[in-house]
């Protein structure tokens, strides 16, 4: 069955950086678009970024464009999200997902941006 396990979250000061990872198994990882979603306290699920199976096409939400970079290593079945210049409004639980609506997502990793 599909398994997605996120890691790399934590507490970081504004302006800091984090790298999130997502280990995938149970499906043909290299064939599928992959997504990073997030849910801030009291808010709905937001699509942050997506990447094609080959890694050649990427999309970003306007709120993270220029600060976040999505990538993947198909040899390791791993999805990444490099987050730079973090802001307090980036505080959320971050999920990797096989679909853009979060129907098939992992358990999430908490990112807290605070001084």
């Amino acid at each position: 069955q599909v398994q997605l396990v996120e890691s790399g979250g934590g507490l970081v000061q504004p302006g800091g950086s984090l790298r999130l990872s997502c280990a995938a198994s149970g499906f043909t990882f290299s064939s599928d678009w992959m997504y990073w979603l997030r849910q801030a306290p009291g808010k709905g699920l937001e699509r942050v970024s997506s990447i094609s199976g080959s890694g050649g096409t990427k999309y970003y939400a306007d709120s993270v464009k220029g600060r976040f970079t999505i990538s993947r290593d198909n040899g390791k079945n791993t999805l990444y999200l490099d987050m730079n210049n973090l802001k307090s409004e980036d505080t959320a639980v971050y999920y990797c997902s096989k679909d853009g609506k979060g129907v098939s997502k992992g358990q999430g990793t908490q990112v807290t941006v605070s001084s």
Side-chain angles (χ1 to χ4, degrees):
Q1 70 279 16
V2 172
Q3 203 165 20
L4 299 166
V5 180
E6 301 94 337
S7 61
L11 173 64
V12 63
Q13 292 186 341
S17 300
L18 282 174
R19 182 179 230 206
L20 305 184
S21 300
C22 172
S25 61
F27 64 102
T28 306
F29 180 73
S30 59
S31 298
D32 288 353
W33 277 80
M34 292 296 297
Y35 302 80
W36 283 104
L37 312 175
R38 68 185 180 185
Q39 187 163 24
K43 297 190 175 181
L45 210 53
E46 175 191 15
R47 190 182 303 183
V48 174
S49 185
S50 56
I51 185 170
S52 63
S54 68
T57 304
K58 304 175 184 182
Y59 294 107
Y60 298 94
D62 287 344
S63 57
V64 307
K65 209 171 286 184
R67 301 187 297 120
F68 290 11
T69 302
I70 191 170
S71 62
R72 65 194 297 161
D73 185 334
N74 286 341
K76 295 182 179 180
N77 282 6
T78 303
L79 178 72
Y80 301 101
L81 186 69
D82 288 297
M83 306 187 295
N84 297 310
N85 191 21
L86 283 160
K87 305 176 181 180
S88 57
E89 52 262 44
D90 295 317
T91 294
V93 178
Y94 285 72
Y95 302 92
C96 70
S97 179
K98 281 183 85 273
D99 63 278
K101 295 185 178 180
V103 173
S104 185
K105 64 183 186 292
Q107 86 289 346
T109 186
Q110 176 71 47
V111 171
T112 302
V113 184
S114 174
S115 54

